[in-house]
Amino acid sequence: IDVIGPSAAAAQLEGSKAFAKAFMDRHTIPTARSRTFTTNDYAEACAYVEAHPLPLVLKADGLAAGKGVLIPTTREEALAGLAHILRDKAFGEAGAKVVVEEFMEGEEASVFVLTDGMEYVLFAPAQDHKRVGDGDTGPNTGGMGAYAPAPVVTPTLLAQIEARIVEPTLKGMAKDGTPSRGFLYVGLLVT
């Protein structure tokens, strides 16, 4: 059976939010400001949350079936979210680390890339609906339907995404010795 896909090392780009954030910072790929904390850093994570403006975004590091992202709007919710992820281990091993990220407002969009590690083809940008309630309210569901092409990703914006995100990602993965092969998922927030 012919199969395409990344190596385990390259798959960390999607499988670990902490890995992805460190990778983007190292290769100057645009991303929201963030800090990563482990279960051993719980007190430091709480102090960080106390000192930063709300809302914040709390992301369980690993794959959590699309439900590992919390967007607390109060200090109490943020601290409870940290406890839920790090102390209560609500997401199991996926929550052994948490990424605390600045909140950015905008429309979500996704760009999918088929690549051999250097050459690539872009697929039509897509947009999905993740929050359970009308008007993008309530908890994340992991996706409740999608459509493509997404009009929020104009041809001009797609060219910027290609130049500022896709190409630097492929070059960075190759430079790091973990070329990305198969499908690369680029999750975006269009601000």
Side-chain angles (χ1 to χ4, degrees):
I1 299 171
D2 292 332
V3 176
I4 59 167
S7 65
Q12 291 180 93
L13 195 57
E14 187 170 343
S16 168
K17 291 167 189 69
F19 176 91
K21 294 300 269 188
F23 173 85
M24 288 183 279
D25 287 343
R26 200 167 54 252
H27 294 284
T28 60
I29 296 167
T31 187
R33 289 186 302 269
S34 69
R35 284 267 316 269
T36 299
F37 300 95
T38 66
T39 52
N40 296 332
D41 305 324
Y42 180 70
E44 188 180 347
C46 290
Y48 184 83
V49 162
E50 289 278 4
H52 282 77
L54 296 170
L56 285 168
V57 181
L58 307 178
K59 296 180 175 182
D61 176 53
L63 298 175
K67 296 176 177 35
V69 176
L70 306 174
I71 306 173
T73 56
T74 67
R75 215 55 75 200
E76 293 76 23
E77 287 176 357
L79 294 171
L82 279 178
H84 185 64
I85 295 170
L86 289 176
R87 226 181 25 200
D88 302 341
K89 302 197 184 312
F91 302 109
E93 275 306 303
K97 292 180 189 173
V98 65
V99 174
V100 181
E101 190 174 81
E102 74 175 315
F103 177 80
M104 296 171 65
E105 212 157 342
E107 285 194 65
E108 287 192 47
S110 303
V111 173
F112 299 92
V113 181
L114 178 60
T115 181
D116 65 0
M118 292 305 291
E119 301 294 321
Y120 64 91
V121 176
L122 298 177
F123 284 69
Q127 195 167 38
D128 65 356
H129 304 280
K130 293 184 178 172
R131 309 283 296 266
V132 73
D134 288 340
D136 288 329
T137 59
N140 279 338
T141 64
M144 293 179 52
Y147 62 91
V152 69
V153 182
T154 64
T156 300
L157 180 56
L158 187 57
Q160 291 175 355
I161 292 165
E162 203 172 346
R164 296 183 63 204
I165 299 171
V166 174
E167 291 174 3
T169 297
L170 295 177
K171 288 176 184 168
M173 292 296 284
K175 180 179 178 187
D176 290 354
T178 54
S180 183
R181 295 184 179 101
F183 285 95
L184 176 66
Y185 164 78
V186 180
L188 303 162
L189 189 65
V190 181
T191 59

